[in-house]
Amino acid sequence: MNDSKMVFHEQLIHCDLCGSLPNRHFRLITTLILRRWPGSKKCRLRICRDCGLVFVSPRLEESGYEHYYREVYYQDHNEEVMLQSARNHKRDIEDIIDWISKSLDSDGSRPNSMIDVGCGIGDFITLLGHHYSVEPVALELSHAAAEFARKEYGLHVMEVDLNKAFDLGARYDFVSAKAVLEHILSPSQFVTTLKGLLTEHGVLFLLVPDLRSIVWRFPRSALSRVFKPIHVYEFTKNTITQLLDKCGLEVIEIDANRGFSSSQKNIYVLAKIKSTKNVSVQTENWIRTVIYVWLGSVVAAVSSAIKKVVPTSFVRFLKIIKRKIVAGIMNKAS
Ligand SMILES: [Zn+2]
């Protein structure tokens, strides 16, 4: 199928977290889209001035995303690529399992049932299942990834469109969605669906890329590896906490700056169904996020330009200085 023949429309969206209209959304950053994409050639991110949530807007209509995931996103994912992916992410997976198990063990809770929503190739939930001697189940949109998870790990995978609300008629002690929420067109609907999968004392685990932990060490053109149209939302610790609160969940534990293998570090969060309705989450000043993203983009652009004209050893020295400056500024801001 020739993508250039397919025409999809884009439109400004409302904030999924607080419901604000587009006139409350400030232009944060625009990057070029380098991969084949059925929408416009630019990815525009805006930040909500009322709650600080960052998202792609204007955004391609839902059928455009469906087309992209069906026809393009998984086309290069043959078995060898997926095996390599499992090898590349082994250290990340071990870190996640270590973090989750430490938190659950300190709480004295041990899950007897587990579901991974958007399991990808299935390596994470299989290993966590082994850790707790539980046979997990999983949901996945991609047929290729689901088949791989069944064949490689013997995982029970149901193929479900995660952008639609679903009810499996079962409840689980542990529900996870790892690197899924940033792809979902309505995070609040999705998290509400996940809440519906939890037993009364069940625990939800989310992993999302952290907007405040971008690794600014690549050439400027690679900004498109961080800000891409399939990541329709970008989260900070504050906005993910607000989202969980809106959906009737409260944070048990949250940690940022986790992970090894990406240009963006991750936020890990464990949550449970709220015990009281009176807990209120403070909204962080949205300008802090703007400063971080703009400052980081300038640093990336300058280091890219310098790289072209000065020796590598001097670039290494500048990188160390840059890291110290950015870390110092962010420590003051937080
Ligand atoms: Zn908002």
Side-chain angles (χ1 to χ4, degrees):
M1 194 176 295
N2 187 346
D3 284 317
S4 61
K5 298 272 164 60
M6 307 284 293
V7 177
F8 296 100
H9 301 101
E10 289 175 328
Q11 59 184 22
L12 294 168
I13 62 165
H14 294 188
C15 177
D16 188 67
L17 182 51
C18 74
S20 67
L21 300 176
N23 64 0
R24 297 292 303 153
H25 306 160
F26 179 80
R27 269 189 204 194
L28 182 64
I29 198 163
T30 299
T31 59
L32 289 173
I33 298 168
L34 302 180
R35 272 199 86 174
R36 202 148 57 94
W37 180 246
S40 73
K41 296 200 184 317
K42 286 183 179 175
C43 172
R44 298 177 183 85
L45 276 102
R46 287 170 200 260
I47 182 165
C48 173
R49 286 188 281 165
D50 293 334
C51 71
L53 186 64
V54 172
F55 42 85
V56 174
S57 181
R59 187 174 82 192
L60 205 60
E61 60 194 312
E62 195 173 340
S63 57
Y65 277 92
E66 280 172 10
H67 167 78
Y68 179 77
Y69 281 114
R70 202 175 49 244
E71 302 291 336
V72 183
Y73 190 62
Y74 292 106
Q75 69 182 0
D76 304 326
H77 286 51
N78 60 35
E79 208 168 294
E80 188 47 45
V81 171
M82 288 194 251
L83 273 172
Q84 187 58 48
S85 169
R87 284 192 288 266
N88 292 348
H89 291 99
K90 192 166 177 283
R91 203 169 153 213
D92 286 303
I93 301 285
E94 286 168 355
D95 184 60
I96 297 163
I97 291 172
D98 190 46
W99 188 84
I100 292 171
S101 56
K102 270 185 190 150
S103 177
L104 294 186
D105 292 351
S106 70
D107 207 29
S109 56
R110 202 179 165 83
N112 292 311
S113 55
M114 297 179 163
I115 185 166
D116 192 23
V117 180
C119 69
I121 59 175
D123 47 352
F124 158 65
I125 200 64
T126 300
L127 280 172
L128 191 67
H130 287 168
H131 184 88
Y132 285 105
S133 305
V134 171
E135 199 168 315
V137 295
L139 305 181
E140 174 54 43
L141 167 72
S142 156
H143 177 68
E147 275 294 298
F148 181 89
R150 290 178 191 121
K151 199 175 150 199
E152 188 69 22
Y153 301 111
L155 193 61
H156 176 60
V157 188
M158 292 166 269
E159 288 176 38
V160 171
D161 181 356
L162 304 180
N163 270 317
K164 309 264 189 309
F166 52 86
D167 184 0
L168 305 174
R171 300 287 176 266
Y172 301 85
D173 291 339
F174 182 88
V175 177
S176 54
K178 181 177 80 60
V180 176
L181 197 59
E182 65 275 18
H183 295 265
I184 296 289
L185 298 179
S186 173
S188 61
Q189 179 189 293
F190 181 68
V191 172
T192 303
T193 301
L194 296 182
K195 183 188 166 200
L197 293 173
L198 286 171
T199 54
E200 188 185 350
H201 300 292
V203 172
L204 171 68
F205 171 72
L206 297 176
L207 178 152
V208 290
D210 182 6
L211 183 59
R212 297 282 188 89
S213 302
I214 298 166
V215 184
W216 298 109
R217 64 176 175 217
F218 37 78
R220 184 169 177 268
S221 60
L223 279 177
S224 61
R225 288 169 63 184
V226 175
F227 301 116
K228 45 197 167 187
I230 53 166
H231 283 186
V232 281
Y233 292 90
E234 293 281 344
F235 295 96
T236 63
K237 275 168 86 170
N238 180 259
T239 54
I240 195 83
T241 304
Q242 286 188 68
L243 176 68
L244 288 162
D245 181 64
K246 179 188 171 174
C247 298
L249 292 149
E250 62 182 307
V251 170
I252 303 168
E253 194 158 347
I254 186 163
D255 206 356
N257 210 21
R258 308 291 304 205
F260 309 99
S261 58
S262 157
S263 48
Q264 213 167 355
K265 300 278 185 178
N266 297 311
I267 297 172
Y268 297 174
V269 54
L270 281 170
K272 62 179 181 180
I273 295 170
K274 244 197 272 187
S275 51
T276 167
K277 287 194 162 58
N278 298 328
V279 181
S280 71
V281 178
Q282 292 287 319
T283 302
E284 195 179 56
N285 191 331
W286 62 278
I287 291 173
R288 285 184 177 183
T289 301
V290 174
I291 290 171
Y292 176 72
V293 172
W294 284 5
L295 182 72
S297 306
V298 170
V299 170
V302 170
S303 59
S304 171
I306 291 171
K307 234 181 251 178
K308 287 178 186 159
V309 292
V310 297
T312 313
S313 54
F314 188 63
V315 171
R316 277 202 208 106
F317 169 74
L318 287 178
K319 274 183 181 174
I320 294 167
I321 301 293
K322 176 194 79 180
R323 222 173 290 145
K324 286 188 188 299
I325 292 170
V326 172
I329 289 168
M330 288 325 294
N331 283 342
K332 273 184 192 163
S334 60

